[in-house]
Amino acid sequence: MVRKGVRPGRTHDVEEVLDELYATPPSGFVPLREQRAAEARTDGRPQDARRIHAARRPTLAAWAANLLLHRRRQESRRFLELGRALREAYGNLDAEGIKELSAQRRSIVSALSRQAAELADDAGHRLSDATRQDVEATLRAVLADQDAADRWAAGRLESALTPPADFPSGAGATSGGRTGAAAAPQHPKSSQPSRSTRPSWSSQPTQPSQPSRSQSSRARSRAKDELAERRRLRQEQEDEARRAAEAAGRRLGDLRAAHADAEQELRRARDHHDQALRQQADAEQRLHQAEQDLHESEEDLRRTEQERRTADERCRAAADAVTRAEREARDADRRLRRLTGPPSAPG
């Protein structure tokens, strides 16, 4: 059963994890199981991870029975106590006790199965009539069999339980059947009881070991009921397997469609990648050409700069030569004027 104080989310107690799993609706069982197993592996607990991963998804009826145990603890505890008392009364062949407890059994099984259906409905899973019958069968098995009671009390049922066919009912305790006959046996040497208290089957004391026709009929009826129950359970399992196969087929179709979309997206991504590579190659080529053009331009700039400096030097040299020539021309003109002197006056 679920322990008090368990916090939702990650836990290091594998028992708490298993309790959490079997109180989870079947539709969410596998994803939660894989998540908890992965957490255990991440935490360095491989044994816990293997144990969690080994948990099997319960049927809808088994989950509803587990949910009833987890959510209705007080009622479940009383139900288990009723089962112990009923089995003890049957073991002691207490006809009156069986009659009283069997009446409680019918009403409590009906009430608890309704509660299980309500809890499942509140969790978003409406139980079909067949599933509710499986829940009721499980509860009857819990009352009738100690092993079934222990399995249900653990809160981790994987499938519905089947009650034993020979467990007494309330009618059997009062109709002079197997339970009534065993509860008040008449020894051949004992004194004869009064007519008011003597059961009807005691009028034939000479053949106590021969089964009555009604007992044989009830035995055949129980056998038929058990066969019908097994067939119904098998049909339920087949239906569930068919639904699981259909769901797996739908899931496979979805995965295939997703795979096709992923392949198409991959092709587009590859095309974009190839285009980007071509653009990069073109850009690199343009960059290389631009670097070459830049290098040539720099060479041209250096050559023109040298030519400019040479021309500038020539220009300054020519200017200096002109200045010297002008100065020399002025000096020659002055010398000429001194040599020639002023002109003579006429006679």
Side-chain angles (χ1 to χ4, degrees):
M1 297 172 59
V2 175
R3 298 167 177 80
K4 296 181 179 180
V6 176
R7 295 190 300 273
R10 180 177 296 188
T11 175
H12 293 291
D13 190 338
V14 67
E15 300 298 333
E16 294 176 0
V17 170
L18 293 174
D19 287 342
E20 178 189 21
L21 281 175
Y22 283 98
T24 300
S27 58
F29 182 91
V30 174
L32 181 61
R33 180 190 65 187
E34 299 306 311
Q35 177 185 349
R36 293 292 183 257
E39 290 174 355
R41 285 192 294 269
T42 302
D43 293 338
R45 297 179 290 120
Q47 293 182 351
D48 290 349
R50 286 192 294 271
R51 186 177 176 192
I52 293 170
H53 189 71
R56 291 294 169 260
R57 185 174 72 95
T59 64
L60 194 59
W63 165 71
N66 293 334
L67 190 65
L68 177 67
L69 180 77
H70 288 286
R71 299 290 180 83
R72 296 291 184 268
R73 294 189 179 89
Q74 186 174 0
E75 293 90 335
S76 300
R77 183 172 61 253
R78 292 176 180 174
F79 187 70
L80 291 169
E81 292 173 356
L82 172 63
R84 284 193 292 271
L86 187 57
R87 291 190 298 274
E88 182 179 356
Y90 183 47
N92 295 332
L93 301 177
D94 183 358
E96 291 301 323
I98 292 175
K99 176 182 177 181
E100 179 182 356
L101 294 173
S102 295
Q104 296 182 33
R105 179 190 69 175
R106 290 191 298 273
S107 62
I108 292 178
V109 165
S110 178
L112 287 183
S113 64
R114 284 197 302 271
Q115 290 188 29
E118 292 172 358
L119 291 171
D121 192 20
D122 292 341
H125 296 269
R126 183 177 296 276
L127 302 185
S128 65
D129 292 341
T131 304
R132 291 190 62 173
Q133 290 175 6
D134 283 345
V135 175
E136 291 183 0
T138 298
L139 295 176
R140 292 197 302 271
V142 169
L143 290 178
D145 183 68
Q146 182 63 48
D147 179 66
D150 293 340
R151 292 175 60 189
W152 181 61
R156 301 173 189 173
L157 291 180
E158 298 177 0
S159 59
L161 302 177
T162 303
D166 60 347
F167 196 71
S169 63
T174 60
S175 62
R178 174 183 175 183
T179 303
Q186 297 295 324
H187 196 278
K189 296 182 179 180
S190 63
S191 61
Q192 298 295 331
S194 64
R195 182 176 302 273
S196 60
T197 60
R198 184 176 181 178
S200 59
W201 52 263
S202 63
S203 60
Q204 301 293 335
T206 59
Q207 296 180 349
S209 61
Q210 296 295 328
S212 66
R213 181 174 300 178
S214 61
Q215 288 176 322
S216 299
S217 176
R218 283 194 297 273
R220 288 193 298 270
S221 178
R222 286 195 298 269
K224 290 180 180 179
D225 291 343
E226 182 178 3
L227 179 60
E229 179 72 11
R230 290 177 179 175
R231 288 176 176 174
R232 185 184 61 78
L233 289 175
R234 182 176 180 181
Q235 183 64 42
E236 177 71 15
Q237 293 173 351
E238 290 177 355
D239 293 341
E240 184 175 357
R242 188 178 299 108
R243 289 191 295 269
E246 292 173 354
R250 291 191 297 269
R251 177 62 175 167
L252 178 59
D254 294 340
L255 291 175
R256 285 175 174 172
H259 181 257
D261 293 341
E263 286 185 338
Q264 184 177 2
E265 185 66 24
L266 177 59
R267 287 193 296 270
R268 286 197 295 265
R270 285 175 175 173
D271 292 341
H272 292 163
H273 179 68
D274 294 340
Q275 183 179 1
L277 287 177
R278 290 192 297 269
Q279 292 176 351
Q280 181 183 8
D282 293 341
E284 290 178 348
Q285 185 176 2
R286 290 194 299 270
L287 176 61
H288 180 68
Q289 185 62 43
E291 290 176 347
Q292 288 183 342
D293 294 342
L294 177 61
H295 180 69
E296 293 176 358
S297 297
E298 290 176 346
E299 291 293 332
D300 292 340
L301 179 60
R302 284 192 292 271
R303 285 195 300 270
T304 56
E305 181 67 20
Q306 183 63 35
E307 292 173 355
R308 184 193 64 79
R309 287 196 296 269
T310 302
D312 187 46
E313 291 175 355
R314 290 176 180 175
C315 182
R316 286 197 299 270
D320 293 341
V322 169
T323 301
R324 287 194 299 272
E326 289 177 348
R327 189 168 53 252
E328 291 174 353
R330 286 194 299 272
D331 292 343
D333 184 65
R334 284 196 296 271
R335 286 195 300 271
L336 179 60
R337 284 198 299 270
R338 284 197 301 270
L339 292 173
T340 59
S344 303

